[in-house]
Amino acid sequence: MRHSVLKYVRVRDYLRSLVTHELAVGDAIPSERLLCERFGVSRMTVRQAVDALVVEGLLEREQGRGTFVAPTKMDLEVRLSSFGEEMRRRGMEPSSKVLAAEEVAASPDIADALDLLPGEQVFYLHRVRYADGEPMAIEQSWLPSRLAPGLFDDGAPASVYGELRRRGLEPDWGEDIVAASEVDSQDADLLGLRTGRAVLRMTRRTFAGDTACVYSRSSYRADRYVLWVPLRAPRRALTPTPATEEAPRAAPSLESEHS
């Protein structure tokens, strides 16, 4: 059994080296027959090695065509920034295709997300987001009309966050919900995917202080993103200590807690 595992590891590591140092995105890997001959292993062992790299996202299979080097995945870091800001940070040129830009009455779920009453006016923006000309995500955004009067007078803004900052509202915190699901036929066409492929769906509420200013729903191509979340050890909870009559304890200051 151990001998079989070692054979699988040798094939896997060879393919990983090819992908990293010699092949380009979209290149085909050597055929199963060639790999079997090169390493003296069975097709099952070769397929095990290829499967491992498909799971890692280094390779992708196309039915009826073969196995190819997959596009490099970008980390979908959960941070409060716009799509355009994120792409420029990675050295890519962002662009958008506007599917809808209109003022509508808030449905109950949108009103609840934005702390509004159902029927209040909101701006609705539906876009496909691109990086270097390739579709990466579909984004739907809603924001209260009272926060940005005339938002679409000159067409849809390139950045909703940027437009809010221009109007004196600084988005400074938010909350995300991320889930994986299969893409439907309509979104698949927009993203250049086959129906049923995986996407990362993100729902976000963005706040400026105590004001809910943007609610958005986005679908990111799972073949181009992995979710990256920074972690830190939890702070020790502050436990009040009863003061004694002889030596009352001073409450810890905010400065000492956050230093």
Side-chain angles (χ1 to χ4, degrees):
M1 180 177 178
R2 178 170 177 76
H3 185 59
S4 174
V5 171
L6 287 176
K7 287 183 177 181
Y8 143 73
V9 169
R10 286 176 58 215
V11 179
R12 183 201 63 191
D13 290 348
Y14 168 74
L15 289 173
R16 181 183 284 119
S17 179
L18 273 184
V19 170
T20 304
H21 302 293
E22 297 184 34
L23 299 179
V25 172
D27 285 350
I29 65 170
S31 68
E32 287 185 359
R33 181 179 60 81
L34 287 175
L35 291 170
C36 289
E37 292 175 357
R38 179 183 179 94
F39 291 95
V41 297
S42 68
R43 290 203 170 198
M44 182 178 295
T45 299
V46 168
R47 286 171 187 165
Q48 185 182 9
V50 172
D51 286 345
L53 297 182
V54 169
V55 171
E56 287 184 28
L58 292 178
L59 299 176
E60 58 183 6
R61 285 194 176 94
E62 295 188 17
Q63 191 170 1
R65 295 191 62 228
T67 305
F68 303 87
V69 179
T72 303
K73 290 191 176 186
M74 293 184 290
D75 58 285
L76 177 58
E77 183 179 350
V78 181
R79 65 168 73 200
L80 195 60
S81 58
S82 70
F83 178 87
E85 290 168 340
E86 280 297 298
M87 292 305 103
R88 290 189 184 94
R89 183 175 69 86
R90 301 169 192 273
M92 306 176 79
E93 184 59 35
S95 59
S96 300
K97 178 182 179 181
V98 177
L99 304 177
E102 54 191 346
E103 193 170 13
V104 299
S107 59
D109 59 324
I110 301 302
D112 184 60
L114 291 172
D115 297 331
L116 303 174
L117 295 174
E120 285 193 58
Q121 293 297 107
V122 294
F123 289 112
Y124 169 61
L125 184 56
H126 188 190
R127 295 177 287 182
V128 182
R129 312 307 299 269
Y130 297 81
D132 289 344
E134 182 178 4
M136 304 295 285
I138 299 170
E139 183 183 274
Q140 296 173 282
S141 301
W142 295 263
L143 61 156
S145 297
R146 59 179 173 77
L147 296 182
L151 180 67
F152 296 150
D153 285 356
D154 298 318
S159 169
V160 170
Y161 286 178
E163 184 63 21
L164 288 172
R165 294 187 189 106
R166 191 179 72 80
R167 295 167 182 258
L169 277 172
E170 179 66 40
D172 54 6
W173 70 282
E175 53 190 21
D176 289 340
I177 298 174
V178 183
S181 68
E182 295 181 351
V183 68
D184 57 32
S185 58
Q186 181 177 349
D187 285 356
D189 288 342
L190 294 172
L191 290 173
L193 299 174
R194 293 196 304 271
T195 301
R197 292 293 295 272
V199 291
L200 292 172
R201 299 198 186 276
M202 178 183 290
T203 301
R204 170 175 291 184
R205 296 176 73 207
T206 302
F207 294 81
D210 294 329
T211 302
C213 55
V214 184
Y215 176 63
S216 63
R217 296 171 182 162
S218 303
S219 297
Y220 292 86
R221 288 177 52 166
D223 65 333
R224 295 303 314 273
Y225 285 95
V226 291
L227 183 62
W228 183 81
V229 181
L231 302 175
R232 66 178 63 185
R235 290 180 179 273
R236 184 174 60 84
L238 290 177
T239 304
T241 304
T244 62
E245 290 183 5
E246 294 78 14
R249 293 177 179 269
S253 68
L254 287 177
E255 182 179 358
S256 62
E257 167 63 12
H258 295 283
S259 60

